Amino acid sequence: MTVVTTSRKPAPEVRTLARDLAFSIGAEYLTRGKAGMGDLFSFEGPVLIVSKSGPFFLIQMYDGGEPAAEIRVRSFAVEERAGAIARGLFVSDRSVYEALKDHVDVAFAGESLTGNRIVFDGTQRRRYTLKVTP
């Protein structure tokens, strides 16, 4: 099973982003606490770590203890979702799609999204739009 967690001392917006990301892809959210990287890698399946690094948010993916992908997010917006919930990630950047497709529920949105974006639906009628840096 895929696990989503945060850095050890996350800001509230990082924690909320990680929880809703886990919800969207059907993963388990794990409160990090004092768990080290070895503890995280003991889980079966991919591990996503959401953190804030300077002006960027960072989503690091590990599979089998090895780095599989790293996505830099410049910013994100949250809006109220209208209509039915859509599960999974919708990605407009081909390289991000290729990095994620073997590990999480992701769909290539292509021309339907402008720019380098990741869109997903979280809990409580939230829709996230992440602006990815190339």
Side-chain angles (χ1 to χ4, degrees):
M1 170 170 232
T2 303
V3 173
V4 178
T5 190
T6 62
S7 54
R8 286 193 171 168
K9 295 181 181 177
E13 68 264 10
V14 172
R15 188 178 296 118
T16 302
L17 174 64
R19 285 179 194 257
D20 284 341
L21 178 63
F23 172 80
S24 178
I25 62 175
E28 177 183 349
Y29 174 78
L30 176 70
T31 304
R32 177 85 180 264
K34 294 182 180 180
M37 296 300 276
D39 298 327
L40 296 176
F41 296 151
S42 66
F43 292 101
E44 291 290 325
V47 175
L48 281 79
I49 301 173
V50 181
S51 61
K52 184 155 179 150
S53 177
F56 298 102
F57 293 88
L58 194 59
I59 301 172
Q60 298 170 299
M61 178 179 293
Y62 295 88
D63 200 355
E66 298 295 320
E70 181 175 286
I71 302 167
R72 287 188 179 282
V73 177
R74 183 178 13 182
S75 64
F76 67 90
V78 183
E79 61 188 21
E80 185 173 336
R81 178 182 69 244
I85 189 169
R87 293 293 188 154
L89 305 177
F90 300 91
V91 180
S92 65
D93 184 285
R94 176 67 70 180
S95 63
V96 172
Y97 170 75
E98 291 295 329
L100 297 176
K101 72 177 182 177
D102 295 331
H103 307 284
V104 296
D105 183 13
V106 62
F108 183 66
E111 301 300 320
S112 64
L113 295 175
T114 59
N116 296 333
R117 307 257 194 262
I118 298 174
V119 176
F120 64 91
D121 292 344
T123 60
Q124 300 178 355
R125 303 193 67 79
R126 289 190 289 250
R127 174 162 289 158
Y128 288 80
T129 302
L130 284 61
K131 295 179 184 175
V132 178
T133 60

